[in-house]
Amino acid sequence: MAIASISVSETPLVLYTLRRADDALILGHRLSEWCGHAPMLEEDMALANMGLDLLGQARELYSYAAKVEGRGNDEDKFAYLRDVRQYRNLLLLEQPNGDFAQTMVRQFFYSAYADLYWRAMMKSSDATLAAIAAKSEKESAYHLRHTSEWMVRLGDGTEESHARAQAAIDHLWAFTGEMFEADASERGLIDAGISVDSASLRPQWLKTVADVVDEATLALPKNDWMQQGGRDGRHSEHLGHLLSELQSMQRTFPGAAW
Amino acid sequence: MATPNTPLWEVFIRSRNGLAHKHVGSLHASDATMALQAARDLYTRRGEGLSIWVVPSSAITASDPADKGMMFEPAESKIYRHPTFYEVPDEVGHM
Amino acid sequence: MYTQALNTSDADDRHVEDAARAAAFQARIDAEERIEPNDWMPAAYRKTLTRQISQHAHSEIVGMLPEGNWITRAPSLRRKAALLAKVQDECGHGLYLYAAAETLGASREELVDLMLSGKAKYSSIFNYPTLTWADIGVIGWLVDGAAIMNQIPLCRCSYGPYARAMIRVGKEESFHQRQGYEIMLTLARGSEEQKAMAQDALNRWWWPVLMMFGPPDQVSQHSDTSTKWKIKRFSNDELRQKFVDATVPQAQYLGLTIPDPGMKQNAEGHWEYSSIDWDEFKQVLAGNGPCNRDRLAARRKAHDEGAWVREAAQAYAEKRKHRQLAQAAE
């Protein structure tokens, strides 16, 4: 017997907050998959620290979404009782860990964005989101620093590491466009000063990314085709498997408290 | 094949301003930047630090315990360096 | 903690191991002095400690795997964060311990290679599988509880770096056992299904946990010299008894039954347990536990698949050094 998924009243602010919460949870979950399996013990520590930062962000954002929605949902119901079509995270973040290069490139692309995004969101007219942004900005800034160092080492390390890093960039590039999209439901929030227009962050993001990639002796793809759909619940096949693992206890033992 | 060694670093942490950096342990890293980040992730997970130093272990020169006698015992007899060596009557008060 | 280089200094010609030195060393131990990395020490003391500390480190690292098995399936976000932090702590503890072992002159790489090749041991408990979420509760409550029982006296171990590492580990570990007991308490107060899950986990883990303290005193091969050198301050059986006495009331509070029908309290208040199946212990140590092969395979995979990353970092460091030298020469 499996428990039914919850329904969510996706008012613009609820939807907006859930999208960012899902980003943090899914990426944090991916990082947690590394625990015990990293290339070196010191990096095991680093990956878990980044994962814990993201899990913390997810919990605060889910709790806020629950409060705004006001229908008795909570962080665990959002995380454990929504199906793949109800998840709103960026496609980039659900991509499998792959090798260490793929994990680092994924984290680097996102952290370079999150650093700018949270810094801008500190000025949000929504006090809770501004407070979450203030905390998350410091975390993202460190993630960007750590992943930038790795980008340079992988790119300018050995022939093998260079090839792996370049392959990861080429593979993940098409998922980066989605970070800078805003649909109609977000437009109103941008106008109200609650959200920032992500599109305005892209030039700075591109500069940050290009500088590091250049130092790493790597190259950004010329191809500008970008995948979309995560924000509307149209995901890659990978997310369903992630969720079946993440949600297995809640689905197997409906209603139990742990 | 034996795994090649990554350099060893000693880690020193200042737990709060006003205190000196204190040796907390060591770690392995390929270079100073990575050593500093690894020290942050390993030794300050519970807010133990405000400042970190990392030093290549090979850069430390240590005294030899076998030289303990000549290195440190001569100082032990210089009791006149300590305030309790001098007599000041109680009536004079704290000095 | 100090350097490899310091400990490989010309020890052989200058420090000829002799009876007078050994006696002076023992006198320092008897006076409760701490031994530090560059102090003279008998070769056997160095060897014993290198083995014990590195095995302890391997146990922390292999110990990440059974609990790591549940990080992606933790049943709430609160539990997920706590479990990830706990397993990460174990990695940290492994690192503190490898650092302590390295002060004795071995490199982490060679110690890890010994583990990966199956020549070095790690705690037998980690060769059992985590089948249900309740296993995560039992591991925190009992496995960490038993580890803490072992670690408290090690904080006063005669070897300074090991003692300091244990103090740091002990401080961090206090949340681990509480985390596990809280999981058990939640299960014990939950549905019939959850209670059964908790009892089943206790049934499976109880005896292997008692084996964690090592063979009974009459057959323990390392105990005598370790006691003389104050590496070990309590015997295996003494620690096991302390653990059982501490655990029985905790199990009672949970409403769980310790799977030992013959267990009874004696006149001194100690809980007497039935005889332990030491054949099982020997089998697990010999590599025949349910998960020995899986655990080693997982560690080897991480090590092998990480090789190119470590090489890249090293290659970059060398390139940068050359560039800086070239710049300085200009």
Side-chain angles (χ1 to χ4, degrees):
Chain A
M1 181 185 73
I3 195 165
S5 297
I6 55 167
S7 69
V8 182
S9 321
E10 289 183 335
T11 60
L13 184 55
V14 170
L15 177 60
Y16 182 85
T17 309
L18 279 179
R19 283 171 170 172
R20 274 76 205 169
D22 290 346
D23 285 350
L25 176 64
I26 297 304
L27 185 57
H29 182 95
R30 282 293 188 218
L31 290 174
S32 80
E33 291 173 356
W34 272 104
C35 190
H37 309 280
M40 58 198 77
L41 297 176
E42 278 81 358
E43 196 53 31
D44 229 312
M45 302 297 297
L47 293 166
N49 268 350
M50 291 194 285
L52 286 167
D53 286 344
L54 289 161
L55 270 179
Q57 293 173 13
R59 295 183 64 188
E60 288 185 24
L61 288 162
Y62 282 135
S63 297
Y64 184 53
K67 195 176 147 209
V68 174
E69 190 200 19
R71 288 187 32 187
N73 285 322
D74 57 29
E75 57 172 35
D76 285 335
K77 284 185 181 158
F78 284 135
Y80 292 94
L81 298 176
R82 279 180 308 146
D83 198 9
V84 64
R85 296 282 284 115
Q86 295 173 287
Y87 259 80
R88 305 295 181 197
N89 58 282
L90 298 166
L91 297 172
L92 173 70
L93 309 179
E94 71 198 41
Q95 297 309 306
N97 286 339
D99 62 8
F100 185 70
Q102 193 165 315
T103 293
M104 275 299 127
V105 170
R106 184 185 64 199
Q107 195 70 32
F108 169 66
F109 282 162
Y110 178 71
S111 301
Y113 161 77
D115 181 44
L116 294 169
Y117 170 75
W118 289 122
R119 210 182 309 158
M121 282 297 286
M122 287 165 67
K123 298 191 198 85
S124 168
S125 62
D126 182 305
T128 307
L129 289 178
I132 293 172
K135 176 171 163 287
S136 305
E137 190 275 325
K138 295 185 190 78
E139 296 168 343
S140 303
Y142 185 80
H143 301 179
L144 174 59
R145 174 174 295 187
H146 185 70
T147 53
S148 298
E149 295 294 345
W150 269 117
M151 289 298 292
V152 172
R153 278 156 189 76
L154 296 182
D156 195 14
T158 64
E159 225 170 279
E160 180 179 4
S161 69
H162 179 91
R164 285 175 183 266
Q166 188 61 57
I169 289 176
D170 295 346
H171 174 59
L172 293 171
W173 182 247
F175 297 110
T176 58
E178 207 183 9
M179 295 191 284
F180 307 101
E181 297 292 329
D183 61 10
S185 90
E186 293 195 5
R187 282 282 146 213
L189 299 175
I190 294 169
D191 295 342
I194 291 172
S195 172
V196 292
D197 187 353
S198 289
S200 69
L201 304 175
R202 190 156 192 276
Q204 182 57 45
W205 177 83
L206 196 58
K207 186 182 181 310
T208 304
V209 166
D211 285 352
V212 172
V213 164
D214 186 53
E215 194 192 340
T217 71
L218 297 162
L220 292 178
K222 300 272 182 283
N223 180 8
D224 271 344
W225 166 255
M226 291 292 161
Q227 295 288 352
Q228 283 177 23
R231 290 294 188 222
D232 299 320
R234 286 178 288 111
H235 292 276
S236 63
E237 290 179 351
H238 305 296
L239 185 64
H241 294 284
L242 185 156
L243 293 181
S244 69
E245 198 172 338
L246 172 77
Q247 300 179 338
S248 65
M249 289 289 289
Q250 295 285 349
R251 302 286 189 181
T252 311
F253 302 97
W258 302 94
Chain B
M1 196 192 79
T3 308
N5 291 1
T6 313
L8 191 64
W9 302 76
E10 303 303 318
V11 181
F12 300 82
I13 306 247
R14 185 203 293 289
S15 55
R16 54 191 165 82
N17 280 354
L19 295 181
H21 285 76
K22 192 179 159 202
H23 184 244
V24 292
S26 60
L27 51 81
H28 289 249
S30 54
D31 59 54
T33 308
M34 295 313 260
L36 201 57
Q37 296 194 358
R40 179 256 192 197
D41 284 324
L42 179 57
Y43 289 106
T44 67
R45 302 198 299 296
R46 289 172 168 79
E48 295 95 329
L50 290 177
S51 166
I52 304 175
W53 291 347
V54 290
V55 180
S57 302
S58 57
I60 292 178
T61 307
S63 64
D64 187 337
D67 296 339
K68 199 174 69 176
M70 67 167 161
M71 291 283 281
F72 308 114
E73 277 173 31
E76 284 173 18
S77 59
K78 314 292 193 294
I79 51 174
Y80 43 81
R81 289 191 193 275
H82 299 278
T84 47
F85 180 75
Y86 302 94
E87 298 235 358
V88 176
D90 287 348
E91 304 89 276
V92 180
H94 181 71
M95 187 178 281
Chain C
M1 300 178 186
Y2 301 89
T3 71
Q4 282 159 271
L6 290 173
N7 292 290
T8 52
S9 64
D10 46 354
D12 293 333
D13 50 87
R14 278 174 53 202
H15 301 313
V16 181
E17 194 167 332
D18 59 24
R21 235 182 206 128
F25 176 82
Q26 189 60 48
R28 290 185 62 193
I29 301 259
D30 294 342
E32 293 288 333
E33 267 186 55
R34 288 288 179 275
I35 307 302
E36 292 296 339
N38 296 313
D39 293 348
W40 183 88
M41 62 186 83
Y45 178 83
R46 187 183 298 274
K47 200 174 148 198
T48 301
L49 272 170
T50 305
R51 190 192 57 234
Q52 181 171 336
I53 301 171
S54 60
Q55 286 182 3
H56 198 159
H58 303 330
S59 301
E60 298 282 355
I61 301 305
V62 175
M64 296 171 74
L65 299 171
E67 287 178 284
N69 182 36
W70 278 90
I71 292 173
T72 54
R73 289 179 291 166
S76 72
L77 295 184
R78 178 173 179 269
R79 295 279 181 227
K80 192 183 186 69
L83 185 60
L84 178 55
K86 175 182 190 290
V87 179
Q88 183 205 35
D89 269 353
E90 276 147 22
C91 183
H93 298 170
L95 283 166
Y96 304 155
L97 286 159
Y98 281 127
E102 289 192 278
T103 65
L104 291 158
S107 73
R108 190 207 298 178
E109 285 85 353
E110 66 187 86
L111 296 172
V112 168
D113 284 349
L114 283 175
M115 189 259 283
L116 295 176
S117 67
K119 288 186 196 117
K121 302 252 179 281
Y122 55 85
S123 180
S124 59
I125 194 75
F126 301 119
N127 290 315
Y128 291 87
T130 49
L131 301 179
T132 70
W133 174 250
D135 292 31
I136 300 307
V138 168
I139 288 180
W141 171 37
L142 297 183
V143 175
D144 287 299
I148 290 168
M149 209 55 99
N150 261 318
Q151 283 161 10
I152 292 168
L154 283 172
C155 295
R156 294 186 294 127
C157 159
S158 62
Y159 188 57
Y162 193 20
R164 289 193 287 277
M166 289 326 298
I167 289 169
R168 198 177 176 101
V169 167
K171 271 187 200 159
E172 298 186 356
E173 200 124 296
S174 56
F175 106 72
H176 296 184
Q177 195 185 11
R178 293 170 67 100
Q179 178 254 179
Y181 197 73
E182 194 191 91
I183 291 173
M184 295 307 287
L185 204 54
T186 310
L187 295 176
R189 289 172 178 167
S191 66
E192 286 309 311
E193 210 174 8
Q194 286 174 303
K195 281 180 209 161
M197 190 189 274
Q199 183 64 52
D200 169 63
L202 177 60
N203 293 350
R204 282 182 288 113
W205 288 90
W206 175 253
W207 293 106
V209 165
L210 291 194
M211 293 174 200
M212 281 176 73
F213 294 93
D217 292 350
Q218 62 267 34
V219 298
S220 177
Q221 45 175 326
H222 304 301
S223 284
D224 288 348
T225 41
S226 289
T227 306
K228 187 182 83 177
W229 284 330
K230 299 201 174 164
I231 296 170
K232 203 178 168 79
R233 293 190 180 255
F234 295 97
S235 76
N236 294 351
D237 285 336
E238 282 169 343
L239 286 173
R240 191 165 16 240
Q241 188 61 56
K242 262 177 184 283
F243 172 78
V244 171
D245 290 343
T247 305
V248 170
Q250 294 166 357
Q252 286 170 340
Y253 185 82
L254 292 172
L256 296 176
T257 310
I258 289 184
D260 180 0
M263 183 179 258
K264 58 180 187 297
Q265 203 167 18
N266 67 19
E268 291 91 59
H270 295 300
W271 288 92
E272 290 177 3
Y273 47 91
S274 305
S275 59
I276 294 169
D277 180 3
W278 292 111
D279 282 339
E280 177 180 327
F281 181 68
K282 277 181 213 144
Q283 286 298 330
V284 176
L285 271 191
N288 297 322
C291 297
N292 295 58
R293 284 170 183 79
D294 291 344
R295 300 294 183 237
L296 269 188
R299 285 312 307 162
R300 281 185 196 136
K301 185 166 182 280
H303 186 79
D304 294 347
E305 289 181 359
W308 69 270
V309 180
R310 298 189 298 273
E311 284 159 19
Q314 209 47 49
Y316 175 78
E318 266 147 46
K319 278 188 205 174
R320 190 160 74 167
K321 209 187 292 169
H322 287 302
R323 273 176 218 151
Q324 280 165 348
L325 285 175
Q327 251 175 4
E330 272 167 24

